[in-house]
Amino acid sequence: MTSIPDKLYKYELVIGLEVHIQLATNTKIFSSDSAAFGGEPNSHVSIVSLGLPGSLPYLNSTVIDSAIKLGLATNCSINLENRFDRKNYFYADLPKGYQITQDALPICKEGFIEIKTKAFGNRQIRINRIHMEEDAGKSMHDQDLTDSLIDLNRAGVPLLELVSEPDLRSAEEAAQFISEVRKIVRFLGVSDGNMEEGSLRCDANISIRIKNTTAYGNRCEVKNVNSMRNLQRAITYEFNRQVDVVENGGSIEQQTLNFDAATGITSPLRSKELANDYRYFPEPDLLPVRLTEEYIKNIQASLPELPQQLEKRFINELGLSEYDANLLASEKEISSYFNNVIKTTSDYKAAANWILGPVRSLLNETGLSISQLSTKPSSLADLINLISTGKISFTSAVQQVFPAMQKHPDHKVIDLVTEMNLLISVDQNELDNLVDEVLNLYPDKIIEYRKGKKAVLGLFMGEFMKRSKGKADPKTANSLIVKKLEETK
């Protein structure tokens, strides 16, 4: 297929996403079977998840709580009356021949998630609904030379399906939307959001229309995209393909597509199903779930501070840059560690710099998560305070003290600094003498400095720190050297 870049400007890309979120519950949604990832094939099953005659489902109440949390976090209204429905279709990995889901009365509706992209800035992407349902099993086509094999461990694992309105207008926006959903579910603790293990899966409904028109075109649904990169690749390919078809006089057939990550192209799976193809009807084996306003308020009160709330607080109250605030709010463990550090230091910028600098470098080198870091947040705060008060240099702290803190996490920071003989203890007379010694070494460089070559200041500072053996405050030394250089003019 040949894309036609000169004609792409005529068309607007329209995307709606269906995000399937696997919940981090111990058991399945309608049985006591384990919902853990992995395990021997067909080992996490029972008469309920196998769909054997006479077996009856019973609802896992944690799923209700998780759905409410996600709905509140995404600005949805919560339905007080909830019912389940049967969605009928035949797949080999769906043993009952139907999926228990919510159709007419989803638990959450009419919310939004705010995203930010370079092309479109801040935008609110509307959410149509969030509903509860069970997962199907898994068909494996590469385990046997002649047959497809079925693993039903995943059958009955609880899912929340979040359905956006067709408000997304680029592959970048779609990826950003998924990124925000993943951050939210991780902060809430309802899912690990791991796309590689299938905890977060995405179907993308993609269509095109002439720019500045309002009618939607026929959409194609790309199923089960398993990474944000592949989501962007699939959307970009499909946009080009649909423009190509229309520009060559064809029309877009509404169908379900597969995306091949190896080739980067989409291919038809089947004609796109409509709601009436599934013959929805009320689930007769489950009673309605009726919620109260008080129940919802209690869950609302238990919600943690969410990524966008954290980011705004870090910027508005702590004075951090948008870049730093975004990084610190991107992961729950990182933001929690940072919040604990600033409980005992008011140097917020230094705390951010340490976590995004030396701490992150150490984690990258060791493969640890920040929750596995041996240095306690209070200890890092103590180190930052020693630097801020001029009792130790930043260089010594990074190169010597911080590594020692990893090896001796139970030692007080001040004791480590004292044992390592790194406390700054040079008095004013010693400082003056050291500065004079350094300047006298390089009279020619003084002349260069006078002529405007400010870079030579680094030479003076390097020599000064070497002679002071790290026991002088670099900021004080820098100011004194500059002052004396200016005096010689």
Side-chain angles (χ1 to χ4, degrees):
M1 183 192 70
T2 303
S3 62
I4 29 183
D6 56 323
K7 297 183 180 179
L8 292 179
Y9 75 93
K10 292 171 50 179
Y11 296 91
E12 181 177 55
L13 176 60
V14 178
I15 308 161
L17 298 180
E18 299 171 13
V19 187
H20 303 269
I21 303 152
Q22 181 175 313
L23 298 180
T25 57
N26 293 325
T27 57
K28 295 182 179 180
I29 184 170
F30 299 121
S31 73
S32 59
D33 303 346
S34 171
F37 177 78
E40 290 296 315
N42 300 304
S43 61
H44 298 167
V45 296
S46 66
I47 60 172
V48 178
S49 52
L50 292 173
L52 297 182
S55 61
L56 292 173
Y58 45 96
L59 180 61
N60 182 342
S61 61
T62 304
V63 177
I64 293 280
D65 294 350
S66 297
I68 295 171
K69 288 177 182 178
L70 182 57
L72 294 172
T74 54
N75 308 288
C76 290
S77 58
I78 310 298
N79 278 330
L80 296 182
E81 175 147 345
N82 288 267
R83 296 178 184 270
F84 287 95
D85 301 279
R86 288 188 181 182
K87 179 181 181 181
N88 298 275
Y89 61 95
F90 176 77
Y91 282 155
D93 54 18
L94 189 69
K96 297 193 297 287
Y98 61 86
Q99 177 191 37
I100 301 178
T101 183
Q102 289 186 294
D103 178 42
L105 290 172
I107 190 166
C108 312
K109 61 182 182 179
E110 298 174 354
F112 67 86
I113 291 177
E114 188 173 287
I115 65 170
K116 181 177 182 180
T117 59
K118 293 179 181 178
F120 297 98
N122 289 334
R123 292 219 301 130
Q124 287 185 357
I125 305 302
R126 294 174 298 156
I127 294 171
N128 177 282
R129 59 190 283 147
I130 300 171
H131 62 262
M132 301 174 285
E133 63 184 22
E134 61 180 340
D135 206 348
K138 183 178 181 181
S139 298
M140 295 177 289
H141 310 292
D142 57 355
Q143 305 291 311
D144 189 271
L145 293 176
T146 58
D147 298 318
S148 291
L149 305 182
I150 304 296
D151 180 6
L152 295 176
N153 280 348
R154 206 171 66 186
V157 166
L159 299 178
L160 296 179
E161 181 173 345
L162 183 153
V163 182
S164 83
E165 297 288 0
D167 291 349
L168 298 157
R169 294 294 176 264
S170 72
E172 181 194 6
E173 279 200 333
Q176 184 61 32
F177 183 84
I178 294 295
S179 177
E180 289 299 324
V181 171
R182 185 170 65 174
K183 284 194 286 187
I184 290 170
V185 299
R186 285 178 169 177
F187 270 76
L188 293 174
V190 301
S191 174
D192 62 20
N194 192 325
M195 296 189 80
E196 291 75 20
E197 293 182 358
S199 301
L200 195 70
R201 307 195 297 274
C202 178
D203 300 339
N205 291 289
I206 304 164
S207 64
I208 62 170
R209 63 186 178 190
I210 300 293
K211 285 185 177 178
N212 300 317
T213 61
T214 56
Y216 293 120
N218 281 343
R219 70 184 189 277
C220 293
E221 182 182 24
V222 182
K223 296 290 286 185
N224 288 331
V225 186
N226 64 356
S227 73
M228 281 183 279
R229 178 174 177 270
N230 284 337
L231 175 65
Q232 293 185 81
R233 292 172 66 206
I235 289 171
T236 301
Y237 177 86
E238 190 58 20
F239 177 56
N240 281 278
R241 184 191 73 83
Q242 291 188 23
V243 169
D244 196 10
V245 169
V246 172
E247 284 292 319
N248 284 287
S251 58
I252 303 302
E253 180 184 351
Q254 189 159 311
Q255 56 187 186
T256 300
L257 305 173
N258 176 63
F259 176 71
D260 188 328
T263 62
I265 66 173
T266 60
S267 57
L269 284 173
R270 56 187 178 272
S271 296
K272 181 76 175 77
E273 296 96 338
L274 301 175
N276 60 356
D277 293 324
Y278 293 119
R279 297 179 293 112
Y280 285 101
F281 65 84
E283 169 56 61
D285 293 333
L286 287 167
L287 293 171
V289 177
R290 293 186 174 91
L291 305 172
T292 65
E293 293 286 359
E294 183 181 4
Y295 190 79
I296 295 169
K297 286 179 181 177
N298 287 337
I299 291 179
Q300 174 83 68
S302 73
L303 295 184
E305 201 172 10
L306 295 170
Q308 291 186 358
Q309 295 169 327
L310 282 167
E311 189 173 341
K312 289 175 183 177
R313 177 167 66 83
F314 292 163
I315 294 170
N316 298 330
E317 296 181 21
L318 306 186
L320 299 184
S321 68
E322 184 177 330
Y323 178 80
D324 286 352
N326 179 266
L327 288 176
L328 289 170
S330 63
E331 295 285 347
K332 186 176 183 178
E333 289 182 346
I334 293 174
S335 62
S336 177
Y337 192 92
F338 174 75
N339 279 327
N340 285 324
V341 170
I342 62 174
K343 285 179 181 178
T344 48
T345 181
S346 58
D347 196 339
Y348 309 129
K349 178 60 178 174
N353 288 343
W354 266 92
I355 291 173
L356 299 177
V359 171
R360 187 165 62 173
S361 295
L362 176 67
L363 298 179
N364 290 338
E365 289 169 8
T366 59
L368 298 174
S369 68
I370 200 166
S371 63
Q372 298 170 309
L373 190 67
S374 58
T375 297
K376 299 173 184 176
S378 58
S379 296
L380 183 60
D382 289 343
L383 182 61
I384 291 168
N385 289 334
L386 287 175
I387 299 168
S388 299
T389 54
K391 294 180 180 178
I392 185 174
S393 71
F394 176 77
T395 302
S396 296
V398 173
Q399 295 179 356
Q400 295 171 268
V401 183
F402 186 56
M405 289 166 64
Q406 312 314 308
K407 297 177 181 177
H408 307 286
D410 296 328
H411 286 44
K412 290 184 178 180
V413 177
I414 187 63
D415 291 343
L416 282 174
V417 172
T418 303
E419 289 171 15
M420 300 172 77
N421 197 27
L422 293 172
L423 278 174
I424 291 174
S425 57
V426 181
D427 63 24
Q428 188 62 45
N429 287 334
E430 288 179 278
L431 281 176
D432 288 336
N433 291 336
L434 279 172
V435 170
D436 289 338
E437 287 178 22
V438 169
L439 293 181
N440 290 336
L441 284 174
Y442 304 104
D444 54 328
K445 298 299 180 184
I446 295 176
I447 296 171
E448 290 181 17
Y449 182 89
R450 290 177 185 169
K451 293 180 178 179
K453 192 174 180 180
K454 305 299 183 183
V456 298
L457 185 59
L459 173 66
F460 296 129
M461 277 299 299
E463 185 64 31
F464 177 90
M465 294 309 295
K466 183 169 69 174
R467 287 172 176 259
S468 69
K469 298 180 181 178
K471 292 187 177 182
D473 177 31
K475 290 182 180 178
T476 302
N478 186 79
S479 298
L480 191 55
I481 290 172
V482 170
K483 181 180 178 182
K484 292 207 173 191
L485 284 169
E486 296 294 334
E487 287 175 354
T488 59
K489 287 186 178 181

